[in-house]
Amino acid sequence: MPDYNSLEKIRLQKLEELRTEGVEAYPTRAERTHTSAQAIAEFEAAEKDASTGSAREVRATLAGRIRAMRSMGKLSFAHIEDGSGKIQLFLRVNEVGKERLAFFDKMFDIGDFIQATGVMMRTKTGEATLQVLDFKLLAKSVSPLPADKDVKQDDGTVIRYAALEDPELRARQRYADLAVNPEVRDTFRKRATIVKALREFLDSHDFLEVETPILQPLYGGAAARPFITHHNELEQDMYLRISFELYLKRLLVGNLERVYEIGRDFRNEGVSFKHNPEFTQLEFYWAYADYLKVMELTERMVAFVAEKVNGTTKVTYGKYELDFKPPWRRVEMRQGILDTSGIDIAEHKTADDLFQAIRAKHPNKTPDPKVTRGKMIDFLLGEFLEPTLIQPTFLYNYPRDISPLAKSMPGDPLTVERFEGYAAGFELCNAFTELNDPLDQEQRFLDMGRDYTDDEEEKNPLDEDYLRAMRYGMPPNGGFGMGVDRLVMLLTNKHSIREVLLFPALRKEEFGE
RNA sequence: GGGCGCGUAGCUCAAUGGCAGAGCAGUGGCCUUUUAAGCCAUUGGUUGAGAGUUCGAAUCUCUCCGCGCUCACCA
């Protein structure tokens, strides 16, 4: 039994009264004929016709949740909200009678779902309103929605309304957040539009959407700690995937030339404004393309999606005005790091060399001296270059030792053909000309294992089956991965990944007895 | 995991060692065009949980729980 608060107890009492009066509080069916938006549109069309002589009554049965009630003795106003928006209801004793009006005022609460049948009219203040002839309860709300208006007098002036704001409550009880904050519903509608637009774009470029295993016997394709689970019948541990990469590239071996997947990845890592343990990833692999072609496709794809969701490639993100219109700025990593940190990584070909250079130039900002050269470059990138990448930018040509699945630049064994897309200072996507040489790949896996022997958590298992697939022959190809949640953040001006996830990860809630 | 901060009524917030409060919501009443309705009256609290200090704790201390920001981690 939950502990009901005083407000809930009152509503439970109302439920009891309804039952004794024979009123069904949770009827099985509704008889809606119009959404609120349809009723208003039809009414406005009728008004236009009326001005040319032909008057016509707009009768509708609406259904929705009560969001506001104003009772004034012999008449009452209310606003209900449905999927299309809000609409005002107007009840008078003249139409519904004294008893029914009293019933409405007494038994109905904000949050209840109701149905109302009536005729559209315009009030004195000009609002299109349903004049109610009949109504019924569709679902009684026992718990008051956690929101209210807050009217504060500040030396005579009215300042503020408050909606549900507590970030914990909003995330934990997203249903309530959605119910009271229309702009939150809007964000998730936009998210759906974005995902649909990504599919539309890739489908129209002859990419085949596929689904690969989430439960995997080995994990790979990224450097992250996995979630481990266990299959009882097979008597073996399984991993939730940390990327789709190795499975999608197996499909290229199978002569599928263009494949993509949109789905969930799971990484057992820290949580931050841009990290959630499960997140939505888009990856595609494109035979006979290289990272330059992928770059072009990427900027076109993101611009397409931005147009679909916002009607423009421009977007406001916090204090920035971003424009995703192609072509995006391109910054070669060596040059970018040189420009922002004053260090030329090409002149320091070993980790030790590079460390000395960083320490000489920036004694207050030095990486861990034990890490690889690639990780030091990554450090320089994060420390100096990344914060400058505000407008959409492709940063390209990465150190080989942090890119075990990417192909080296011809003539430069330390660098691979890889790029990352940045906007607003954070990473949006990651792509490269994929390594398709099975012998090189095997060596890279072994190198990686050696580099990280003292860090077991980062040491990916060697995927023999992947190497076997590659030995059959994999066409040269370009691959791409993007955090869809981050794209949604950018296109909806949200500054935390939690705001674009319906149910972000939270610690388990303890319920009392 | 580290650092900083927060947790008071259904919601938004006051009260900083001395009677736990306000607005809105709720409840009762008045009100036939309101929309932040208005007017009168009124209910509502394990101050996140537990322990300690004190004559006295929402306030100070400790432990725990939850959340936020941040750092670390994160191809």
Side-chain angles (χ1 to χ4, degrees), chain A residues 280-307:
Chain A
T280 300
Q281 179 90 333
L282 161 66
E283 290 191 24
F284 69 71
Y285 293 85
W286 181 9
Y288 314 118
D290 62 6
Y291 77 143
L292 295 173
K293 288 178 96 166
V294 171
M295 229 183 260
E296 284 166 29
L297 193 71
T298 300
E299 60 194 4
R300 283 173 48 214
M301 177 170 72
V302 173
F304 174 85
V305 171
E307 286 272 6

Side-chain angles (χ1 to χ4, degrees), chain A residues 64 85 101 114 122 140 147 157 196 201 205 210 221 245 326 330 343 358 379 383 424 443 453 460 464 468 475 504 513:
Chain A
L101 186 65
I114 66 164
R122 213 167 266 283
K140 185 71 189 161
T157 49
K196 204 182 291 181
F201 183 88
H205 286 77
V210 298
E245 175 150 3
R330 283 158 165 70
I343 292 167
I358 297 170
F379 172 86
E383 205 67 32
Q443 194 55 48
T453 41
N460 281 10
E464 294 284 4
R468 176 169 63 190
E513 206 23 34

Side-chain angles (χ1 to χ4, degrees), chain A residues 28-182:
Chain A
T28 307
R29 270 169 260 288
E31 290 83 30
R32 172 155 86 164
T33 62
H34 294 65
T35 66
S36 58
Q38 285 168 344
I40 291 168
E42 215 171 286
F43 176 58
E44 284 173 350
E47 283 180 319
K48 210 167 276 175
D49 292 352
S51 64
T52 60
S54 58
R56 159 161 65 89
E57 188 182 78
V58 176
R59 211 183 158 86
T61 297
L62 305 177
R65 197 197 270 277
I66 300 177
R67 292 301 307 276
M69 295 178 81
R70 293 176 297 280
S71 162
M72 312 189 47
K74 296 192 174 58
L75 55 85
S76 286
F77 291 93
H79 270 95
I80 62 170
E81 184 171 37
D82 65 16
S84 71
K86 282 189 196 173
I87 190 168
Q88 183 168 250
L89 305 183
F90 176 48
L91 294 86
R92 288 197 309 184
V93 286
N94 311 41
E95 284 80 30
V96 300
K98 197 176 163 191
E99 270 183 35
R100 289 286 281 165
L101 186 65
F103 176 82
F104 182 87
D105 288 341
K106 185 168 159 48
M107 302 305 284
F108 286 9
D109 292 294
I110 291 171
D112 291 353
F113 283 95
I114 66 164
Q115 168 178 307
T117 302
V119 179
M120 290 300 295
M121 57 160 300
R122 213 167 266 283
T123 61
K124 277 184 183 166
T125 54
E127 181 168 350
T129 298
L130 186 77
Q131 176 150 28
V132 177
L133 304 172
D134 194 18
F135 59 86
K136 78 168 185 182
L137 187 58
L138 291 179
K140 185 71 189 161
S141 160
V142 173
S143 301
L145 291 169
D148 223 305
K149 51 182 182 282
D150 181 11
V151 184
K152 277 220 163 151
Q153 295 288 14
D154 230 326
D155 49 35
T157 49
V158 178
I159 300 302
R160 189 179 50 175
Y161 310 69
L164 175 60
E165 282 174 349
D166 176 33
E168 177 180 0
L169 207 154
R170 286 189 50 228
R172 232 181 246 296
Q173 300 188 30
R174 185 67 86 192
Y175 34 87
D177 185 32
L178 288 163
V180 303
N181 291 327

Side-chain angles (χ1 to χ4, degrees), chain A residues 316-488:
Chain A
T316 301
Y317 192 75
K319 61 187 175 190
Y320 305 124
E321 292 290 329
L322 307 180
D323 192 348
F324 288 100
K325 187 170 180 232
W328 296 3
R329 182 177 163 222
R330 283 158 165 70
V331 175
E332 204 255 324
M333 175 172 278
R334 174 191 164 192
Q335 192 63 46
I337 289 178
L338 179 59
D339 290 346
T340 52
S341 76
I343 292 167
D344 186 353
I345 57 173
E347 288 181 0
H348 307 283
K349 293 192 191 304
T350 67
D352 197 46
D353 245 24
L354 186 55
F355 180 78
Q356 299 303 337
I358 297 170
R359 195 170 60 178
K361 195 102 188 169
H362 303 284
N364 298 326
K365 283 187 179 176
T366 54
D368 179 347
K370 294 192 293 292
V371 302
T372 64
R373 177 175 177 271
K375 290 224 158 189
M376 288 185 191
I377 294 173
D378 204 34
F379 172 86
L380 289 171
L381 163 64
E383 205 67 32
F384 297 99
L385 181 51
E386 212 174 274
T388 71
L389 305 177
I390 303 304
Q391 286 301 322
T393 303
F394 289 122
L395 187 60
Y396 64 99
N397 293 355
Y398 275 65
R400 173 182 139 130
D401 67 70
I402 56 169
S403 314
L405 299 162
K407 209 167 192 168
S408 296
M409 304 268 304
D412 183 355
L414 287 182
T415 308
V416 293
E417 294 196 351
R418 170 181 171 188
F419 74 82
E420 290 189 347
Y422 282 84
F426 65 80
E427 179 193 339
L428 176 64
C429 60
N430 178 24
F432 26 93
T433 305
E434 302 290 337
L435 181 55
N436 66 338
D437 174 341
L439 303 179
D440 190 355
Q441 184 68 72
E442 184 169 8
Q443 194 55 48
R444 300 274 198 105
F445 279 157
L446 292 173
D447 288 350
M448 190 169 51
R450 193 174 53 238
D451 285 345
Y452 298 137
T453 41
D454 54 341
D455 189 353
E456 203 58 31
E457 283 176 345
E458 279 198 29
K459 186 174 163 188
N460 281 10
L462 181 66
D463 192 336
E464 294 284 4
D465 176 72
Y466 177 67
L467 290 172
R468 176 169 63 190
M470 201 180 260
R471 284 194 286 264
Y472 279 115
M474 179 186 289
N477 69 93
F480 171 89
M482 177 172 71
V484 174
D485 312 284
R486 291 186 185 177
L487 179 64
V488 176

